[in-house]
Amino acid sequence: MIVAGNWKMFPGPDPAALAARLAGITGVDVIVCPAYVALARCVEAGLTTYAQNVHWETEGAYTGEISAPMLLRLDVGGSLVGHSERRQYFGETDAGVARRAQTALEAGLGVIACVGETQEERDADDMETVLRIQVDAIRDACGVHDRLVLAYEPVWAIGTGRTATPEMAQEAHAFVKSLLDRPVLYGGSVKPDNADELLSQPDVDGALVGGASLDVESFASICEAAARSHS
Ligand code: 13P
């Protein structure tokens, strides 16, 4: 079980307070993904820390980007790639996401690669086609890498309070795993009150939490739910 908190462009909780609250929880790999400026503080607090993105080159003239070796020098353990907000607002493509994942893995980082369909795509019955295109790009670049984790984040469930039902999540996760056999986290309005149900699904291997990861207590209770589902 893995629970990752994506703080997005929010300051997030105090890393030391969060680390203290999480200290007693066992059986779950907890990861925080703060903004770049808070990476060092999270590492110093003893939290397993991932960036929210990483570039596909190790250095170069890429204003505004951060490379895998830079993250490694900060003792950052890995990075998200392909978050739907990167795809939606910053024009990231399947090919670019795959290259980011590949470079990060080759450098020694862990990767959580995000995939998921929009409401329009689901309504048009295109969910499997979209997931297949997204996952195939990652698989072709990275293979079945042991530091690669996937996250299924239906875009319509992100920040909307509309969670996929446990059955919908299970179905999508099983499909993603049939394409690339790695752990799959669920993301999209995961909260303390729906975490048990979602995490008890056989192919849901953890959660990628946005809004609820900004509050120490709610994030900790999702981690506790993951610990319960594991035991
Ligand atoms: P919310 O939990 O706020 O819906 O965000 C999910 C997400 O995008 C995590 O990466």
Side-chain angles (χ1 to χ4, degrees):
M1 274 286 158
I2 299 168
V3 177
N6 176 8
W7 297 359
K8 308 193 178 185
M9 201 174 72
F10 294 100
D14 174 60
L18 179 61
R21 176 63 181 82
L22 296 174
I25 304 174
T26 56
V28 189
D29 290 331
V30 180
I31 297 170
V32 294
C33 311
Y36 291 123
V37 291
L39 288 170
R41 280 194 301 130
C42 290
V43 170
E44 280 159 24
L47 295 162
T48 301
T49 305
Y50 275 31
Q52 295 175 13
N53 207 1
V54 58
H55 199 256
W56 58 76
E57 294 291 348
T58 52
E59 62 176 28
Y62 298 102
T63 302
E65 292 284 329
I66 302 275
S67 74
M70 290 170 177
L71 295 175
L72 286 164
R73 278 198 288 279
L74 286 179
D75 288 328
V76 167
S79 184
L80 303 177
V81 301
H83 192 280
S84 66
E85 288 149 16
R86 298 299 318 171
R87 297 174 186 265
Q88 222 179 335
Y89 305 134
F90 302 97
E92 293 204 14
T93 62
D94 290 320
V97 169
R99 287 177 70 198
R100 288 175 191 268
Q102 182 186 8
T103 304
L105 290 169
E106 281 170 1
L109 291 170
V111 166
I112 300 173
C114 307
V115 298
E117 82 288 356
T118 63
Q119 183 67 61
E120 254 178 10
E121 289 161 347
R122 179 171 274 266
D123 291 346
D125 230 5
D126 283 341
M127 181 186 92
E128 292 200 347
T129 308
V130 169
L131 290 179
R132 186 187 296 279
I133 291 168
Q134 293 177 346
V135 175
D136 279 359
I138 294 160
R139 192 203 51 214
D140 291 350
C142 306
V144 190
H145 197 290
D146 62 2
R147 267 182 278 107
L148 174 62
V149 168
L150 298 166
Y152 170 63
E153 296 207 306
V155 179
W156 48 270
I158 294 177
T160 59
R162 284 181 59 208
T163 317
T165 64
E167 295 72 26
M168 284 157 87
Q170 168 57 30
E171 189 192 346
H173 282 226
F175 180 68
V176 168
K177 281 189 193 181
S178 75
L179 303 170
L180 178 50
D181 191 14
R182 291 299 301 149
V184 183
L185 315 183
Y186 171 79
S189 298
V190 178
K191 308 286 176 205
D193 60 5
N194 60 27
D196 276 302
E197 253 194 332
L198 286 161
L199 292 167
S200 63
Q201 297 300 308
D203 289 309
V204 176
D205 304 306
L208 180 53
V209 185
S213 73
L214 300 175
D215 176 75
V216 170
E217 264 321 301
S218 64
F219 188 57
S221 61
I222 293 168
C223 295
E224 285 164 348
R228 275 195 296 279
S229 78
H230 182 76
S231 58

